[in-house]
Amino acid sequence: MEKLTATQLKEVFGLSEEAWLRLADDIIEPLDDEAFADGPKRWSGYAFARWLASTHPELAGAGPLLLRPAPLVEPRYLGGEYRDADYGTDVRAEYFAGRWDTREGIIAIVFPRDGMPDARSLLEVHTDTASLVVVEHFYAFDGPKLQVVDRERPELVYHPSWSDLAAHVGGPVPWWPSALRRRAHLTAWAPGDAPVPVDVATYPSWEPLYELARQEPEGSPVRHACFTIGHRIRTSAAEHASWEMENLRSWTTGPGDSMVYPAVPRMSGPGPGELATDAVVGAGLAELCGRTDDLAVECLEHVSAWSSEDLPYGGTFQVTRTDVTWMAAEWINRLREVPPTALHRVWGESYQTVGTFVDPVTGSPVVAVKGKFIFRRVSEITYIGRAPKRLPEGTVLKEVILDDPIWVRTDDGVLYPAPVMDAPGLSWGYNGSGPLTLAQCVGRLLDDGGAHAVTYGDDGKDEPGLGKYFRIKHKRGTRLTRSDLVRARRGG
């Protein structure tokens, strides 16, 4: 619809050759001729539709339904239904569909909750609709983009404005930010209702965290940790939903009177004193990681999806038995088998877990899984662990071993996975962020063996000498002594 030739305009708008010739004298200007110098002239289909409706309404009736002149109607809202994703069909999305009865037939307006359904597929579900509108997540020139198909022309997908849609349903169209699309609220809403406070719906979810927190005794680190992280998730979503609505209200070419906002985010939070410092949150999550109940597992899944910053361990790494180096073998051989904890279950639930362990040096849980890689042997065993965020205070770096993961050994002979977060990662042998992050990490460890892993937003100093050194394609397994690293740092 953005760029149509004369032939395409005639097809889309059902214009005969005779009708086209009648329009030729006063038709709107085509798009920039120079841009299409080697081909036929092209017009904006949407601009043409509006021009046709205003100057030749008798010819506009064969075009896309929501681009035709809208008859004067009283809004007749038929209610709506909330549908869960149906993975046995082409509609693999959770959504709410509101329905309006109009002179052209029923118009269904779909607000996705999880996933983005295709409007054409939804015609097969909502069989009594004349037009089906999907409100997309990203924006067009006048608000969230509208994806529309008409039953009489299901092969044609078009994108009307919010004012087009409002004119055809007979009044302002509701719009909910994604975080305010709660099933009970959506299905109860009716035109003319005043905006009501709604608890934000989020992923990761704050609700299991609040549920677990309320089961814990007052003052418990776990209670504080769950309330604090749940509050962060909830507040972030509520603030973003408020911003989205205020942002749309400020648009000079936005939906204006064509859109209403039926909900506002409920901003209440935990009681006074329930929110905690980072240190208390870290202690509470460390305790939660060692629990075994299902709710603890669910909460850790959502905490991990939100941010691993507060978890007691750093970035994930893996070691496969069939491709093991002597450093990795040393690490595997010191693992101690233990019953599965909540964090073991979070990491291992996507695979066939064959063992749960702990690294006695770092305290990190480790899971052994079978058949992790699709194109390798199904019997292959892979160990998944977590690196430390930092080494013990007072340790002294002795050497760095370039492997996957990168290892460090301290002067007391203990081998550790190098301190790292989930991102940025550590690597070597190319010109990119991995070697630069490794250089910064090693520089910190040379100055202070107990320094924290590199994280985004750090104000750490550049390490040009080490950065250049780690861009070299060293062989896997290369051992770099402290003196090697000090010399490289100096540019030697």
Side-chain angles (χ1 to χ4, degrees), residues 217-231:
E218 291 188 11
S220 156
V222 170
R223 179 185 177 99
H224 284 312
C226 289
F227 266 141
T228 300
I229 295 178
H231 181 68

PDB file of all heavy atoms in Angstrom, residues 217-231:
ATOM      1  N   PRO A 217       9.121 -15.032  57.211  1.00  0.00           N
ATOM      2  CA  PRO A 217       8.981 -14.194  58.411  1.00  0.00           C
ATOM      3  C   PRO A 217       9.527 -12.796  58.181  1.00  0.00           C
ATOM      4  O   PRO A 217      10.429 -12.598  57.366  1.00  0.00           O
ATOM      5  CB  PRO A 217       9.812 -14.953  59.457  1.00  0.00           C
ATOM      6  CG  PRO A 217      10.754 -15.797  58.678  1.00  0.00           C
ATOM      7  CD  PRO A 217      10.042 -16.164  57.411  1.00  0.00           C
ATOM      8  N   GLU A 218       8.971 -11.835  58.890  1.00  0.00           N
ATOM      9  CA  GLU A 218       9.446 -10.459  58.776  1.00  0.00           C
ATOM     10  C   GLU A 218      10.923 -10.393  59.155  1.00  0.00           C
ATOM     11  O   GLU A 218      11.370 -11.033  60.110  1.00  0.00           O
ATOM     12  CB  GLU A 218       8.626  -9.535  59.681  1.00  0.00           C
ATOM     13  CG  GLU A 218       7.195  -9.366  59.217  1.00  0.00           C
ATOM     14  CD  GLU A 218       6.459  -8.300  60.004  1.00  0.00           C
ATOM     15  OE1 GLU A 218       7.128  -7.545  60.759  1.00  0.00           O
ATOM     16  OE2 GLU A 218       5.230  -8.219  59.873  1.00  0.00           O
ATOM     17  N   GLY A 219      11.677  -9.593  58.380  1.00  0.00           N
ATOM     18  CA  GLY A 219      13.108  -9.465  58.628  1.00  0.00           C
ATOM     19  C   GLY A 219      13.960 -10.493  57.933  1.00  0.00           C
ATOM     20  O   GLY A 219      15.189 -10.384  57.920  1.00  0.00           O
ATOM     21  N   SER A 220      13.325 -11.508  57.328  1.00  0.00           N
ATOM     22  CA  SER A 220      14.082 -12.548  56.626  1.00  0.00           C
ATOM     23  C   SER A 220      14.790 -11.966  55.404  1.00  0.00           C
ATOM     24  O   SER A 220      14.182 -11.215  54.636  1.00  0.00           O
ATOM     25  CB  SER A 220      13.123 -13.653  56.180  1.00  0.00           C
ATOM     26  OG  SER A 220      13.631 -14.377  55.083  1.00  0.00           O
ATOM     27  N   PRO A 221      16.090 -12.296  55.186  1.00  0.00           N
ATOM     28  CA  PRO A 221      16.767 -11.825  53.968  1.00  0.00           C
ATOM     29  C   PRO A 221      16.065 -12.275  52.692  1.00  0.00           C
ATOM     30  O   PRO A 221      16.023 -11.528  51.710  1.00  0.00           O
ATOM     31  CB  PRO A 221      18.165 -12.435  54.094  1.00  0.00           C
ATOM     32  CG  PRO A 221      18.371 -12.663  55.546  1.00  0.00           C
ATOM     33  CD  PRO A 221      17.013 -13.018  56.081  1.00  0.00           C
ATOM     34  N   VAL A 222      15.497 -13.485  52.696  1.00  0.00           N
ATOM     35  CA  VAL A 222      14.775 -13.960  51.512  1.00  0.00           C
ATOM     36  C   VAL A 222      13.547 -13.086  51.262  1.00  0.00           C
ATOM     37  O   VAL A 222      13.249 -12.716  50.118  1.00  0.00           O
ATOM     38  CB  VAL A 222      14.372 -15.440  51.673  1.00  0.00           C
ATOM     39  CG1 VAL A 222      13.424 -15.868  50.557  1.00  0.00           C
ATOM     40  CG2 VAL A 222      15.610 -16.331  51.676  1.00  0.00           C
ATOM     41  N   ARG A 223      12.828 -12.757  52.315  1.00  0.00           N
ATOM     42  CA  ARG A 223      11.656 -11.876  52.185  1.00  0.00           C
ATOM     43  C   ARG A 223      12.065 -10.535  51.587  1.00  0.00           C
ATOM     44  O   ARG A 223      11.453 -10.051  50.626  1.00  0.00           O
ATOM     45  CB  ARG A 223      11.018 -11.684  53.564  1.00  0.00           C
ATOM     46  CG  ARG A 223       9.798 -10.755  53.567  1.00  0.00           C
ATOM     47  CD  ARG A 223       9.311 -10.528  54.999  1.00  0.00           C
ATOM     48  NE  ARG A 223       8.197  -9.600  55.062  1.00  0.00           N
ATOM     49  CZ  ARG A 223       6.914  -9.952  55.151  1.00  0.00           C
ATOM     50  NH1 ARG A 223       6.589 -11.238  55.161  1.00  0.00           N
ATOM     51  NH2 ARG A 223       5.965  -9.037  55.227  1.00  0.00           N
ATOM     52  N   HIS A 224      13.113  -9.934  52.139  1.00  0.00           N
ATOM     53  CA  HIS A 224      13.576  -8.641  51.642  1.00  0.00           C
ATOM     54  C   HIS A 224      14.027  -8.734  50.185  1.00  0.00           C
ATOM     55  O   HIS A 224      13.730  -7.844  49.373  1.00  0.00           O
ATOM     56  CB  HIS A 224      14.722  -8.128  52.508  1.00  0.00           C
ATOM     57  CG  HIS A 224      14.286  -7.568  53.830  1.00  0.00           C
ATOM     58  ND1 HIS A 224      13.249  -6.675  53.966  1.00  0.00           N
ATOM     59  CD2 HIS A 224      14.766  -7.770  55.082  1.00  0.00           C
ATOM     60  CE1 HIS A 224      13.104  -6.356  55.232  1.00  0.00           C
ATOM     61  NE2 HIS A 224      14.010  -7.007  55.944  1.00  0.00           N
ATOM     62  N   ALA A 225      14.760  -9.797  49.852  1.00  0.00           N
ATOM     63  CA  ALA A 225      15.279  -9.940  48.487  1.00  0.00           C
ATOM     64  C   ALA A 225      14.135 -10.069  47.487  1.00  0.00           C
ATOM     65  O   ALA A 225      14.133  -9.423  46.428  1.00  0.00           O
ATOM     66  CB  ALA A 225      16.204 -11.146  48.391  1.00  0.00           C
ATOM     67  N   CYS A 226      13.133 -10.897  47.814  1.00  0.00           N
ATOM     68  CA  CYS A 226      12.032 -11.120  46.873  1.00  0.00           C
ATOM     69  C   CYS A 226      11.168  -9.873  46.726  1.00  0.00           C
ATOM     70  O   CYS A 226      10.764  -9.514  45.609  1.00  0.00           O
ATOM     71  CB  CYS A 226      11.199 -12.312  47.324  1.00  0.00           C
ATOM     72  SG  CYS A 226      12.047 -13.904  47.117  1.00  0.00           S
ATOM     73  N   PHE A 227      10.877  -9.206  47.830  1.00  0.00           N
ATOM     74  CA  PHE A 227      10.107  -7.962  47.736  1.00  0.00           C
ATOM     75  C   PHE A 227      10.871  -6.910  46.931  1.00  0.00           C
ATOM     76  O   PHE A 227      10.302  -6.195  46.099  1.00  0.00           O
ATOM     77  CB  PHE A 227       9.790  -7.416  49.131  1.00  0.00           C
ATOM     78  CG  PHE A 227       8.452  -7.835  49.667  1.00  0.00           C
ATOM     79  CD1 PHE A 227       8.303  -8.169  51.004  1.00  0.00           C
ATOM     80  CD2 PHE A 227       7.334  -7.882  48.845  1.00  0.00           C
ATOM     81  CE1 PHE A 227       7.060  -8.555  51.510  1.00  0.00           C
ATOM     82  CE2 PHE A 227       6.090  -8.267  49.347  1.00  0.00           C
ATOM     83  CZ  PHE A 227       5.958  -8.604  50.683  1.00  0.00           C
ATOM     84  N   THR A 228      12.181  -6.806  47.158  1.00  0.00           N
ATOM     85  CA  THR A 228      12.962  -5.758  46.503  1.00  0.00           C
ATOM     86  C   THR A 228      13.036  -5.974  44.998  1.00  0.00           C
ATOM     87  O   THR A 228      12.795  -5.052  44.208  1.00  0.00           O
ATOM     88  CB  THR A 228      14.383  -5.703  47.105  1.00  0.00           C
ATOM     89  OG1 THR A 228      14.291  -5.428  48.513  1.00  0.00           O
ATOM     90  CG2 THR A 228      15.219  -4.618  46.437  1.00  0.00           C
ATOM     91  N   ILE A 229      13.358  -7.192  44.573  1.00  0.00           N
ATOM     92  CA  ILE A 229      13.477  -7.439  43.137  1.00  0.00           C
ATOM     93  C   ILE A 229      12.102  -7.414  42.479  1.00  0.00           C
ATOM     94  O   ILE A 229      11.935  -6.872  41.378  1.00  0.00           O
ATOM     95  CB  ILE A 229      14.198  -8.772  42.879  1.00  0.00           C
ATOM     96  CG1 ILE A 229      15.632  -8.675  43.377  1.00  0.00           C
ATOM     97  CG2 ILE A 229      14.178  -9.124  41.391  1.00  0.00           C
ATOM     98  CD1 ILE A 229      16.441  -9.924  43.225  1.00  0.00           C
ATOM     99  N   GLY A 230      11.092  -7.959  43.147  1.00  0.00           N
ATOM    100  CA  GLY A 230       9.738  -7.876  42.613  1.00  0.00           C
ATOM    101  C   GLY A 230       9.296  -6.428  42.442  1.00  0.00           C
ATOM    102  O   GLY A 230       8.674  -6.067  41.431  1.00  0.00           O
ATOM    103  N   HIS A 231       9.635  -5.592  43.406  1.00  0.00           N
ATOM    104  CA  HIS A 231       9.281  -4.173  43.327  1.00  0.00           C
ATOM    105  C   HIS A 231      10.005  -3.492  42.163  1.00  0.00           C
ATOM    106  O   HIS A 231       9.420  -2.645  41.477  1.00  0.00           O
ATOM    107  CB  HIS A 231       9.642  -3.486  44.649  1.00  0.00           C
ATOM    108  CG  HIS A 231       9.305  -2.030  44.690  1.00  0.00           C
ATOM    109  ND1 HIS A 231       8.013  -1.559  44.691  1.00  0.00           N
ATOM    110  CD2 HIS A 231      10.101  -0.922  44.711  1.00  0.00           C
ATOM    111  CE1 HIS A 231       8.017  -0.239  44.726  1.00  0.00           C
ATOM    112  NE2 HIS A 231       9.269   0.174  44.735  1.00  0.00           N
TER     113      HIS A 231
END
